[in-house]
Amino acid sequence: MLPRGRSRALGAAVLLLGLLLLVGLFLLGGDPWAEDVGGSCCHPTPPELPDGRPSRPASRDGASRPPRCQLLHVAIVCAGLNSSREVVTLVKSMLFYRKNPLHLHLVTDAVARSILEMLFRTWMVPALGVSFYDADQLKPHISWIPNKHYSGLYGLMKLVLLSVLPPGLAQVIVLDTDVTFAADIAELWALFADFSDKQVIGLVENQSDWYLGNLWKNHRPWPALGRGFNTGVILLWLDRLRHEGWEQMWQLTARRELLTQPATSLADQDIFNAVIKEHPGLVQSLPCVWNVQLSDHTLAERCYLEAADLKVIHWNSPKKLQVKNKDAEFFRNLYLTFLGYDGNLLRRELFGCPSQPPTGAEELQHSLAQLDEEDTCFEFRQQQLTMHRVHITFLPHKPPPPQPHDVTLVAQLSMDRLQMLEALCRHWPGPMSLALYLTDAEAQQFLHFVEASPVLSARQDVAYHVVYREGPLYPVNQLRNVALAQALTPYVFLSDIDFLPAHSLYDYLRASIEQLGLGGLRKAALVVPAFETLRYRFSFPRSKAELLDLLDAGALYTFRYHEWPWGHAPTDYARWRAAQAPYRVQWAADYEPYVVVPRDCPRYDPRFVGFGWNKVAHTVELDAQEYELLVLPEAFAIHLPHTPSLDISRFRSSPTYRGCLQALKEEFHQDLSRRYGAAALKYLTALQQPHSPA
Amino acid sequence: MLPRGRSRALGAAVLLLGLLLLVGLFLLGGDPWAEDVGGSCCHPTPPELPDGRPSRPASRDGASRPPRCQLLHVAIVCAGLNSSREVVTLVKSMLFYRKNPLHLHLVTDAVARSILEMLFRTWMVPALGVSFYDADQLKPHISWIPNKHYSGLYGLMKLVLLSVLPPGLAQVIVLDTDVTFAADIAELWALFADFSDKQVIGLVENQSDWYLGNLWKNHRPWPALGRGFNTGVILLWLDRLRHEGWEQMWQLTARRELLTQPATSLADQDIFNAVIKEHPGLVQSLPCVWNVQLSDHTLAERCYLEAADLKVIHWNSPKKLQVKNKDAEFFRNLYLTFLGYDGNLLRRELFGCPSQPPTGAEELQHSLAQLDEEDTCFEFRQQQLTMHRVHITFLPHKPPPPQPHDVTLVAQLSMDRLQMLEALCRHWPGPMSLALYLTDAEAQQFLHFVEASPVLSARQDVAYHVVYREGPLYPVNQLRNVALAQALTPYVFLSDIDFLPAHSLYDYLRASIEQLGLGGLRKAALVVPAFETLRYRFSFPRSKAELLDLLDAGALYTFRYHEWPWGHAPTDYARWRAAQAPYRVQWAADYEPYVVVPRDCPRYDPRFVGFGWNKVAHTVELDAQEYELLVLPEAFAIHLPHTPSLDISRFRSSPTYRGCLQALKEEFHQDLSRRYGAAALKYLTALQQPHSPA
C-alpha cells in the first residue's frame, strides 16, 4: 500500500493527466461524445449533452485542419450536359477557398466526360488531379432499384462508389453537383478526425420534416433516424466501409424495404437513411453548416441564424436558385459569386506544396519565358501561346443523326454579335457549331439570352462552345478551330457570324456535295459567294435572281468591294452572274472565300490573333494541300452591317499592329516553305507583290 | 506548517492551476510572451522562444474571433481620384470575407469624399457604417514634416488619427488603400486579445532590408527595431494611445530625428518605427501573413512559402500590380478577383446580427414587396426601382474652369459603344459628362481602354461616371440623370453617344448662348438638328453647306427619316436649310430633339427603362415647363450606324414589351396631369391620336 500523501499526489497526477487528455482531445479534434450527437435539427453547434455539459466546439470551428499539403479526395457523380455545367460552379467555389492539393474523382456518363475532360485539360489548375470513372459500368449495380427522384439512376450511384474508386483510397468527400462552398474544404476533411473507430460515414442531418412522415395523407417515407440525414455532402471512410461489407449491408436493407416501399423517393438518401436507422453506430453527425439545405420547406434557418459561418450551401430543391426562401437572395449571391467568377484566376499555385504541374504547363511556361518582353509583337506572341479554358457544348444539344452529305455551319463570335443568332437560325435550318469567346459572367448572360429566345431555345442542333476570354487580342483562329473540331457532320461550312446564308443554302449544299461526288476521291472546297449590305433593314433576297436585282440597284455589293476587293475577286462575280454549273477558280493572293469542305480539312493557323489575314492563311493552306476551289452557282451569303470591332479599330490606327501582322505573315510563309518546299514559293512571291490600291 | 502530503497535493493543485491558466491563455488568445516576439523577419508563426519552447500558434490560426455580431472599426486615409478607386477593391475584399458588422472611418479630401459618399450611399451594403473625416483639417498637424514618399502629406495622416476619430472609439484597424484581404478581418481584430497591458499598436514586421541600412552608399534610414515594422496594416488601441500621450510622444521623436534626417522617406512608417525603437514595449508583433508585402525587394517569400494561409496582401511598391516578383501572378489573381468582383453581390445581410438597414433600404424593400410578380410589366417596375451603385469620376478628371456660357456634352453608353469615344473627343473639344453602364469587370476593361488610347488619356475634361449594371433592362434615363447631375458647366448639350457633333458645334453653342441671352430670364432649349448616315465610312461634313450637299446626294438623311419621322419632324428641316437665324418651333407629339439647356433643366423620367419614349417624355417635360424650343441654324449632329442594341431587338419582337411601354406612357401622363393640371391635356390628346404610318 502506498503512503497516503503519495496516493494523493498520484490522484492529482491522474487528474492532471485526465485534464491534459481532455485538452489534447479538444485541441486535436478527437470527439469522445460523438456517438451521442444528432437528433435535433439544424443547430450550428452540437446540442448540450444529457448531463448538461456543453459539447466541445473545437474542431467544428474551422481551427483544426489536415496537415498542410495533404492531398484531399473528392468524388462527384456527374451525368449529362446540365450537370456538367453545374459542377463547374461547385468546383470553382471549392478551388477558391482550398489551400490543399485536391483530387477529383468524377463518375460521369460519356457526355459529361467529354465536356469535363476538355475543360480540365484546358483549365490547367495547379495541384488539382482529375480521374474519370464510367457511370455506365455502375448502372447494373443499381438499376434494379425503382427510383422516383429527379436525379434518376445517377442519383443512386453514391451507394456504389466503393466499386469504382481506387482500392487504395481510404477516405473521400462525396458531393452533389448542386452544392456551393463558402469555406475551405480542408476544414470539412478535418472532421474525419472526429470519427470514432466504428464510424464510417459523416452526414449532416436532414433540414426538413420529410423523414418524420405524415407531411400529407399517406406520406410514408423510408425509415430514418429522427429527421434523417442529407446525402448532398458525405464523408466516406472507404476502407472501413469495405471492411464492414458495405455492399451487402445496403443491398440487404434496400431489398427488404422495397418489399413494402414501391420505390425510393430521394434516391440514395432513402437507402443511406434506412441503413443508418438499422446501424446508428456507423454515422458521425456533422455540424449543420456543412450542408445548409435550401429546399422549399427547409428548416435551415435554424442553422444559419445561429451560425456565424456557413460552409456549404446545398440547392437541394428541383427549383434550384428559384427556390422560395425569404433569405434566398443571400444564398443566391454566394452562388452567383462563383457562377460569374473568372475561372482563370484559379490557375494559382499552392505555395510550398510541390505538385505535378498540369499536362503541358511546363512547356507552356517555357515558351512564355522565352518571349522577349521588349519585342513589339510581344502581346501577339503571348496571346498565341495562351491556353484558353474551353467548355464545349455549354447548352443542351442533340448531335445530328449521321447523314452522308450533311453540313455543319461553323462560326465564332463574342457577346457583341449575339443579336445575329436568331436571324442565323432562321436562315440555316441545319446543324451549327459555334465558338463563343466570353468571360464566365458573359457565359451566364448568354445562357439567359438563349433561354429567353423561343427561336434559339427550340433548336437542339446548335452546339455552343464557350472559350473563356484571356488576353487583349481576339484569338479568332483558335476559336474557329474549336468550333471546327466539334462539328459532327462529314462537311462543314466555314462561315462568319455576321453573314446570313441564303435560305436555301443548307439544302443546296447537301445536294451539291452529293452531285459533285465530294467525299470520295475528289478533294474540293465549295465556294459560297459573299455579298454585303450596308443597311440594317433590308429584305433578304429569296433567290439568286432577286439578289442580282438588288446588286444592280446598288442595295447590295459584293463583299468588301470598297475596302478590300482582293479578298473575293478570284470568285469571279461576273462569271457567277450567268453560271449554271459549278466552276473552278484559281487561288490568288489574299483570297479568303467562304467555303464548304470536309470536316478533316486543315485547321486555321492560331498565330493570327486579332484582326487580319486569319482566313487568308487558311485559303493558302487549302490551296497548298491541292483542294480544288469550286464556286457554286446558286449559293450566296450576305454580310450584315455591324459596329466595327475594337480589334479592327485598333488595327486601323496602330502601326505596331500592322507591323506585327506583317511579321506574322512572314513567319507563316517560312513555315509554309518548310512544309511544302518549292510548291510554297508562289505564295511568297504573291506576298511580295503588293496590290495596287482598290 | 502544513503536513507534507497536503503540501504535495497543494503543489499539484498549483501546477494544475498553472496549467489551466496556460490553457486558458492559449484558448483566449492572451499572449504571455508577446513582448519577446519580433526581430527575425517574415516567419508565418512566431519563432521559437529562447528556451526552445515553441510559441503557441493558437489565436494566430484563425481559430479565435471577436464575439459574433461585434462591430469592428476600420480607418482608412483616402485622398484623390485614384485612391478612391483603389480603396473600392480593398473594401470589396474585406466585405467578401467579413462576417461582422463593420464601420469604416474614412479620412478623405473633398474629391474622394464626393466619390465615396455617392458610392456607399448607392451601394447600400447592410451592416456597414461609413463616416467621413476631413483630411484638410489634419494637414496643419503634419505639414511641418518634410516627406519624400509618393503618398505625400496624406501618407502621414495615420499618425494623427486620434485627433479626428470619435473619442469613444477604443480600438481600430488602420489600413492602407493598397491592401487586399484574403481572410476575415475579424481574425485580425482578434489579435487585439494578444496585446499585453502595455501594448498599444500591432504591426507586422517590415519584409525588406530597408531599415537595416546600407542598401546603397549613404543609405541611412530612420531608426527602427531590427527590420522595423510596416504600417500598411495597423491595430491601434486608441484609448491606450490617448492615455500614453501619443501626440506628444511621436512629435517629440519626429522633431528629434528631423534634426539629423532631412525628411521622412516612407512617411508615417519612419516615424512609427522611430517611436517603437525608443519604446519597444508599445508594439505587438503580428504574424507576417497579415501584411504580405510585395515591394520589389521583398523578403515576403519567407512568409508565404511557409504559411498555409495568407490573410492580407500589401501592394507596397509604387509599381503596384506591375511589381517584379516571380510569384506576382499568384497575388495578382487574388487582387483581380476583387477588382472584377460584382459589388452588388456584397449587398448581403449578416444573418442573426440585427443592424440598422442602409438609408432608403426599407422604403425600397417596401416598394419592391408591393410589386405584383404576375404583372406583365413586373420586370420594368423592378428595374425602375433598382438602386444602381454609382462611382462618379471613375478616371482622372479636372473640372473645367468656370465660364458663364460653357456647355458640357452629356451622354450615356455601355461597353458596346466604347468605339465612339475617340471620334467624339475629336468632334467635341469641350467638357463632357458621360455615364457608363458597366459591370465591375467591364469597368476595368474600360479603364485599360482609356489608358491605351492617346486621344482619350490626353483629355482631362471628360468625366466618366460608372453606373454598375443590375437587372435585365437598360436604365437609360437613370444613366442620363447621373451624367446630367455631374455636369459642372452652366449649360448642357443632351446628346446620345452615337452622334458626332459638327466640329464647330462646341464653339458655336457657346457663342449662341451668349448672343441669345440665355441663362438670364430667357428659358429656352436650343435644338441641334439631327441627321444620320448609314455608312460606316464617310467623310464628315465640315460645314452646313457640305452637309446639305450630302443630304441632297442621299449620303445623309434626317435622323430616322425612314423609321420614325415624328421624332424630329417638328425641327422643320426644310426651314432649317435656308435659316440664317434661330427660329422657334412648337412641341408636337413624339418630338425628341437633341437640345442645349441650362444645367438645372428637368431630369429624365426614370420610369422609362429599356428602349422607347425615354427622350420623348423629357421633351414633354420641357414644353410643360415652358421652355422655348429654338432651332440653331448652323448646328448639327450626325448619327453613325451601329449594331442594334439587344433592347431594341427585344422591343421589336415582343408584344409584352410594347404593351408595358404603353402602360408606362399612360402612367406618365397621369403624373403630368397631376402636376400641370389642364395644361397637360394637350399631351394626353396627342397620345391618343396615333400617327398615320410613315
Side-chain angles (χ1 to χ4, degrees):
Chain A
M1 197 183 142
L2 291 163
R4 206 175 147 211
R6 199 145 171 209
S7 93
R8 270 191 197 162
L10 197 72
V14 166
L15 191 67
L16 185 62
L17 210 75
L19 190 72
L20 274 172
L21 195 71
L22 213 64
V23 168
L25 277 167
F26 190 110
L27 295 173
L28 297 172
D31 187 346
W33 306 297
E35 294 204 18
D36 295 316
V37 170
S40 95
C41 173
C42 316
H43 289 277
T45 47
E48 288 202 354
L49 297 168
D51 63 357
R53 286 174 301 166
S55 66
R56 46 119 210 105
S59 75
R60 325 229 135 170
D61 213 307
S64 83
R65 298 180 152 280
R68 191 158 170 238
C69 299
Q70 182 185 336
L71 179 63
L72 313 184
H73 293 269
V74 176
I76 302 172
V77 178
C78 179
L81 264 158
N82 291 328
S83 287
S84 61
R85 200 175 56 245
E86 200 175 65
V87 79
V88 177
T89 307
L90 156 59
V91 171
K92 283 191 202 168
S93 72
M94 201 159 60
L95 291 176
F96 182 83
Y97 293 103
R98 68 92 177 243
K99 296 179 185 86
N100 285 64
L102 295 180
H103 195 99
L104 297 184
H105 301 269
L106 300 178
V107 179
T108 53
D109 65 351
V111 168
R113 179 164 184 158
S114 74
I115 295 170
L116 295 175
E117 268 188 346
M118 172 76 94
L119 181 74
F120 283 109
R121 186 174 64 72
T122 53
W123 201 343
M124 298 183 100
V125 179
L128 176 71
V130 185
S131 304
F132 288 91
Y133 307 89
D134 186 0
D136 289 337
Q137 289 188 1
L138 287 179
K139 282 187 181 169
H141 297 273
I142 40 151
S143 55
W144 56 273
I145 307 168
N147 175 23
K148 289 186 295 195
H149 192 247
Y150 65 90
S151 59
L153 209 51
Y154 296 100
L156 292 162
M157 290 191 181
K158 282 179 280 173
L159 289 166
V160 291
L161 288 174
L162 263 191
S163 59
V164 286
L165 293 177
L169 192 60
Q171 294 167 321
V172 71
I173 292 174
V174 185
L175 300 172
D176 279 359
T177 55
D178 56 357
V179 306
T180 311
F181 274 80
D184 185 353
I185 192 170
E187 296 177 34
L188 178 58
W189 188 275
L191 300 178
F192 272 120
D194 292 356
F195 279 43
S196 73
D197 288 350
K198 296 283 173 225
Q199 292 177 338
V200 295
I201 180 167
L203 291 168
V204 171
E205 202 179 35
N206 206 33
Q207 291 162 5
S208 84
D209 286 337
W210 173 272
Y211 285 110
L212 299 182
N214 295 318
L215 290 187
W216 53 83
K217 203 173 166 229
N218 295 328
H219 169 234
R220 205 173 58 83
W222 280 52
L225 215 56
R227 280 204 177 76
F229 292 92
N230 184 283
T231 57
V233 175
I234 314 180
L235 299 193
L236 271 193
W237 202 309
L238 295 168
D239 49 13
R240 290 189 187 172
L241 279 173
R242 289 186 197 97
H243 189 258
E244 295 281 338
W246 170 250
E247 286 289 318
Q248 293 72 22
M249 195 188 298
W250 75 259
Q251 286 184 22
L252 212 67
T253 304
R255 282 183 207 282
R256 194 191 54 226
E257 291 303 324
L258 283 167
L259 297 176
T260 54
Q261 290 277 2
T264 58
S265 295
L266 304 179
D268 67 298
Q269 187 167 306
D270 284 338
I271 298 178
F272 272 109
N273 273 298
V275 176
I276 287 166
K277 169 93 174 180
E278 213 172 328
H279 310 279
L282 296 179
V283 75
Q284 157 75 342
S285 181
L286 307 178
C288 67
V289 291
W290 286 105
N291 183 349
V292 178
Q293 299 147 42
L294 295 180
S295 58
D296 275 5
H297 303 289
T298 182
L299 307 171
E301 203 180 346
R302 299 191 202 167
C303 178
Y304 63 71
L305 285 186
E306 285 181 41
D309 233 2
L310 300 182
K311 311 283 194 176
V312 172
I313 315 298
H314 186 182
W315 303 91
N316 64 330
S317 152
K319 299 182 203 158
K320 302 297 172 197
L321 289 199
Q322 277 67 50
V323 66
K324 298 273 175 207
N325 175 318
K326 69 185 178 54
D327 300 311
E329 194 63 28
F330 171 85
F331 296 105
R332 258 195 294 272
N333 281 358
L334 274 182
Y335 180 79
L336 294 176
T337 288
F338 296 106
L339 196 68
Y341 188 77
D342 179 355
N344 300 337
L345 298 177
L346 296 165
R347 288 168 166 169
R348 54 192 187 202
E349 271 183 79
L350 290 186
F351 284 121
C353 295
S355 69
Q356 184 81 17
T359 315
E362 282 179 316
E363 296 83 326
L364 197 63
Q365 213 54 51
H366 182 72
S367 307
L368 282 167
Q370 289 198 313
L371 295 183
D372 173 10
E373 283 195 43
E374 304 304 311
D375 178 355
T376 50
C377 301
F378 174 69
E379 230 177 27
F380 280 78
R381 302 188 194 287
Q382 201 180 26
Q383 185 76 56
Q384 291 158 11
L385 287 174
T386 301
M387 171 65 99
H388 294 277
R389 209 166 13 117
V390 177
H391 190 134
I392 57 169
T393 42
F394 190 71
L395 297 187
H397 174 247
K398 276 201 193 112
Q403 285 172 355
H405 308 107
D406 206 1
V407 189
T408 299
L409 186 151
V410 168
Q412 40 71 39
L413 65 153
S414 53
M415 213 55 191
D416 56 343
R417 295 289 184 275
L418 282 195
Q419 294 97 328
M420 287 299 298
L421 291 178
E422 287 198 1
L424 190 55
C425 279
R426 289 199 185 94
H427 280 249
W428 181 268
M432 295 196 241
S433 177
L434 305 175
L436 293 103
Y437 193 51
L438 305 174
T439 64
D440 293 69
E442 286 171 346
Q444 295 306 317
Q445 289 173 39
F446 163 65
L447 183 151
H448 295 309
F449 179 79
V450 172
E451 283 176 349
S453 158
V455 176
L456 299 182
S457 48
R459 289 287 288 267
Q460 296 279 301
D461 55 353
V462 182
Y464 301 102
H465 314 293
V466 175
V467 177
Y468 288 100
R469 294 183 77 102
E470 187 167 12
L473 294 162
Y474 191 78
V476 54
N477 278 357
Q478 296 179 44
L479 292 170
R480 287 191 175 117
N481 286 341
V482 167
L484 181 51
Q486 299 303 321
L488 301 170
T489 56
Y491 298 90
V492 287
F493 170 34
L494 305 176
S495 187
D496 269 342
I497 195 66
D498 30 25
F499 275 86
L500 287 184
H503 281 104
S504 59
L505 191 65
Y506 176 57
D507 287 340
Y508 175 61
L509 287 179
R510 289 184 299 168
S512 301
I513 290 164
E514 187 165 8
Q515 280 159 24
L516 293 168
L518 247 68
L521 290 177
R522 194 165 186 186
K523 200 169 170 188
L526 308 181
V527 175
V528 176
F531 297 84
E532 74 179 333
T533 171
L534 304 174
R535 308 284 312 245
Y536 279 108
R537 299 200 192 180
F538 93 117
S539 58
F540 199 94
R542 279 164 298 175
S543 64
K544 178 173 177 179
E546 273 192 32
L547 175 111
L548 293 176
D549 286 348
L550 290 169
L551 202 61
D552 293 337
L556 279 183
Y557 302 93
T558 60
F559 184 51
R560 298 178 75 205
Y561 176 75
H562 299 89
E563 299 94 1
W564 185 250
W566 312 283
H568 293 266
T571 295
D572 195 350
Y573 289 98
R575 184 169 173 191
W576 184 80
R577 288 186 79 100
Q580 300 287 333
Y583 57 92
R584 188 164 178 180
V585 295
Q586 295 303 318
W587 176 88
D590 291 324
Y591 191 30
E592 47 177 0
Y594 293 93
V595 294
V596 177
V597 283
R599 185 175 58 179
D600 63 356
C601 69
R603 279 1 192 192
Y604 288 87
D605 192 317
R607 92 182 77 207
F608 294 101
V609 292
F611 171 79
W613 239 70
N614 41 67
K615 252 193 330 285
V616 173
H618 190 245
T619 312
V620 166
E621 196 70 55
L622 288 176
D623 188 60
Q625 295 194 15
E626 298 176 337
Y627 278 72
E628 263 184 89
L629 293 165
L630 289 174
V631 182
L632 295 178
E634 298 293 326
F636 63 86
I638 302 178
H639 181 268
L640 298 196
H642 55 77
T643 318
S645 75
L646 282 179
D647 271 319
I648 290 188
S649 325
R650 211 166 155 191
F651 172 77
R652 285 184 180 142
S653 65
S654 155
T656 311
Y657 200 118
R658 285 191 299 256
C660 291
L661 186 55
Q662 190 57 36
L664 296 183
K665 281 187 201 178
E666 284 162 15
E667 290 162 24
F668 170 75
H669 282 89
Q670 287 161 13
D671 287 352
L672 270 187
S673 303
R674 263 193 288 279
R675 284 188 293 141
Y676 300 105
L681 199 62
K682 71 167 177 177
Y683 307 115
L684 192 61
T685 316
L687 182 70
Q688 286 158 351
Q689 291 169 338
H691 300 285
S692 47
Chain B
M1 199 184 138
L2 289 167
R4 203 174 150 214
R6 199 148 169 203
S7 92
R8 271 192 197 162
L10 198 68
V14 166
L15 192 68
L16 187 63
L17 209 74
L19 190 74
L20 273 173
L21 195 69
L22 212 65
V23 169
L25 278 166
F26 188 112
L27 294 173
L28 297 172
D31 187 346
W33 306 295
E35 295 204 18
D36 296 315
V37 171
S40 93
C41 174
C42 316
H43 289 275
T45 48
E48 288 201 357
L49 296 168
D51 62 359
R53 286 172 301 165
S55 66
R56 45 121 212 103
S59 76
R60 323 229 135 168
D61 213 307
S64 84
R65 298 180 153 281
R68 189 157 172 239
C69 298
Q70 184 185 334
L71 179 64
L72 312 183
H73 293 269
V74 176
I76 303 171
V77 178
C78 178
L81 264 159
N82 290 329
S83 286
S84 61
R85 200 174 56 246
E86 201 175 64
V87 80
V88 177
T89 306
L90 157 59
V91 171
K92 283 192 206 170
S93 72
M94 202 159 59
L95 291 176
F96 182 82
Y97 293 104
R98 68 94 176 241
K99 296 182 184 84
N100 285 62
L102 295 178
H103 195 100
L104 298 183
H105 301 269
L106 301 177
V107 179
T108 53
D109 65 351
V111 168
R113 179 166 184 156
S114 75
I115 294 170
L116 294 175
E117 268 187 345
M118 172 75 94
L119 181 74
F120 283 109
R121 186 174 65 70
T122 54
W123 201 344
M124 298 183 101
V125 180
L128 176 71
V130 185
S131 304
F132 288 91
Y133 307 88
D134 186 1
D136 289 337
Q137 289 189 0
L138 286 180
K139 282 186 179 168
H141 297 272
I142 40 153
S143 54
W144 55 273
I145 308 169
N147 177 23
K148 290 187 294 195
H149 192 245
Y150 64 89
S151 59
L153 210 50
Y154 296 100
L156 292 163
M157 289 191 182
K158 280 178 281 173
L159 289 166
V160 290
L161 287 174
L162 263 190
S163 60
V164 286
L165 292 178
L169 192 60
Q171 296 167 322
V172 71
I173 292 174
V174 185
L175 300 172
D176 278 359
T177 55
D178 56 357
V179 305
T180 311
F181 274 81
D184 185 354
I185 193 171
E187 296 176 35
L188 178 58
W189 188 274
L191 300 178
F192 273 120
D194 292 357
F195 280 43
S196 72
D197 288 352
K198 297 282 172 226
Q199 293 176 337
V200 296
I201 180 167
L203 291 167
V204 172
E205 201 178 35
N206 206 32
Q207 291 162 4
S208 85
D209 285 338
W210 173 272
Y211 285 110
L212 299 183
N214 294 319
L215 290 186
W216 53 82
K217 204 174 166 230
N218 296 328
H219 170 232
R220 207 172 57 80
W222 281 51
L225 215 56
R227 281 205 176 76
F229 292 91
N230 183 284
T231 57
V233 175
I234 314 178
L235 299 193
L236 271 193
W237 202 308
L238 295 168
D239 49 13
R240 290 188 187 171
L241 278 174
R242 288 186 197 100
H243 189 256
E244 296 279 338
W246 170 250
E247 287 289 320
Q248 294 71 23
M249 194 188 297
W250 76 260
Q251 285 183 23
L252 212 67
T253 305
R255 283 185 207 281
R256 194 190 56 225
E257 292 301 324
L258 284 168
L259 297 176
T260 55
Q261 290 277 1
T264 57
S265 295
L266 303 179
D268 67 300
Q269 187 168 304
D270 284 338
I271 298 178
F272 271 109
N273 273 298
V275 175
I276 287 167
K277 170 95 175 177
E278 214 173 329
H279 310 278
L282 295 180
V283 74
Q284 158 76 342
S285 179
L286 307 179
C288 67
V289 291
W290 286 106
N291 184 348
V292 178
Q293 299 148 41
L294 296 180
S295 57
D296 275 5
H297 303 289
T298 182
L299 306 173
E301 203 180 347
R302 299 190 201 167
C303 178
Y304 62 73
L305 284 187
E306 284 181 43
D309 232 3
L310 301 180
K311 312 283 195 177
V312 172
I313 315 298
H314 185 182
W315 303 92
N316 65 329
S317 152
K319 298 182 201 159
K320 303 299 171 194
L321 288 199
Q322 276 67 52
V323 66
K324 297 274 177 206
N325 175 318
K326 67 183 177 58
D327 300 311
E329 194 62 28
F330 171 86
F331 296 105
R332 259 195 293 272
N333 280 358
L334 274 182
Y335 180 78
L336 293 176
T337 287
F338 296 107
L339 195 68
Y341 188 77
D342 178 355
N344 299 338
L345 298 178
L346 295 164
R347 289 168 166 170
R348 53 189 187 204
E349 272 182 80
L350 291 186
F351 284 121
C353 297
S355 70
Q356 184 81 17
T359 315
E362 281 178 318
E363 297 82 326
L364 196 63
Q365 213 54 50
H366 182 71
S367 308
L368 281 167
Q370 289 197 314
L371 295 183
D372 174 9
E373 283 195 42
E374 304 304 310
D375 179 355
T376 49
C377 301
F378 173 71
E379 230 178 27
F380 280 79
R381 303 190 192 287
Q382 200 180 25
Q383 185 75 57
Q384 291 157 11
L385 287 174
T386 301
M387 171 67 98
H388 294 276
R389 208 164 18 113
V390 177
H391 190 134
I392 58 170
T393 40
F394 189 72
L395 297 187
H397 175 247
K398 277 201 194 115
Q403 286 172 355
H405 307 108
D406 206 0
V407 190
T408 299
L409 186 150
V410 168
Q412 39 73 38
L413 65 154
S414 53
M415 213 57 191
D416 56 342
R417 296 289 185 273
L418 282 195
Q419 295 98 327
M420 289 298 299
L421 291 177
E422 288 198 1
L424 189 57
C425 279
R426 290 198 185 95
H427 280 249
W428 182 267
M432 295 195 243
S433 176
L434 304 176
L436 294 103
Y437 193 51
L438 305 175
T439 64
D440 292 69
E442 286 171 346
Q444 295 306 316
Q445 288 174 39
F446 162 67
L447 183 151
H448 294 309
F449 179 80
V450 172
E451 284 176 348
S453 158
V455 177
L456 299 183
S457 48
R459 287 289 287 268
Q460 296 278 302
D461 55 353
V462 182
Y464 300 101
H465 314 292
V466 175
V467 177
Y468 287 101
R469 294 183 77 101
E470 189 169 10
L473 294 162
Y474 191 79
V476 55
N477 278 356
Q478 297 180 43
L479 292 169
R480 288 192 174 116
N481 286 340
V482 167
L484 181 50
Q486 299 303 321
L488 301 170
T489 55
Y491 298 90
V492 285
F493 171 33
L494 304 175
S495 188
D496 269 341
I497 194 67
D498 30 25
F499 275 86
L500 288 184
H503 282 104
S504 59
L505 190 65
Y506 177 57
D507 288 340
Y508 175 60
L509 287 179
R510 289 183 298 168
S512 301
I513 289 165
E514 187 164 11
Q515 281 160 24
L516 293 168
L518 245 65
L521 289 177
R522 194 162 186 189
K523 199 169 170 186
L526 307 181
V527 175
V528 176
F531 298 84
E532 73 179 334
T533 170
L534 304 174
R535 310 283 314 243
Y536 279 108
R537 299 199 193 179
F538 93 117
S539 58
F540 199 94
R542 280 163 297 176
S543 65
K544 179 173 177 178
E546 273 192 32
L547 175 110
L548 293 177
D549 286 348
L550 289 169
L551 202 60
D552 292 338
L556 279 184
Y557 302 93
T558 60
F559 184 50
R560 297 178 76 207
Y561 175 76
H562 299 88
E563 298 93 2
W564 186 249
W566 312 283
H568 294 266
T571 295
D572 196 349
Y573 289 99
R575 184 168 173 191
W576 184 79
R577 288 187 81 100
Q580 299 287 334
Y583 57 93
R584 186 162 180 184
V585 294
Q586 296 303 318
W587 176 88
D590 291 324
Y591 192 30
E592 47 177 0
Y594 293 93
V595 294
V596 176
V597 283
R599 186 175 56 178
D600 64 357
C601 70
R603 276 5 189 191
Y604 288 88
D605 191 317
R607 91 182 77 208
F608 294 101
V609 291
F611 170 80
W613 239 70
N614 42 67
K615 255 195 326 289
V616 174
H618 190 246
T619 313
V620 166
E621 196 71 54
L622 290 176
D623 188 61
Q625 296 194 17
E626 296 175 341
Y627 279 73
E628 264 183 89
L629 293 164
L630 289 174
V631 182
L632 295 178
E634 298 293 327
F636 63 87
I638 302 178
H639 180 268
L640 297 196
H642 55 75
T643 317
S645 75
L646 282 180
D647 271 320
I648 289 189
S649 323
R650 211 166 155 191
F651 172 75
R652 285 184 180 143
S653 66
S654 154
T656 313
Y657 200 117
R658 286 191 298 256
C660 290
L661 185 54
Q662 191 56 36
L664 296 183
K665 283 187 202 179
E666 283 161 16
E667 291 162 24
F668 170 75
H669 282 90
Q670 286 160 14
D671 288 353
L672 270 187
S673 304
R674 263 194 288 278
R675 285 189 292 142
Y676 300 105
L681 198 62
K682 71 168 176 176
Y683 308 116
L684 193 62
T685 315
L687 182 71
Q688 285 158 353
Q689 292 169 337
H691 299 286
S692 46

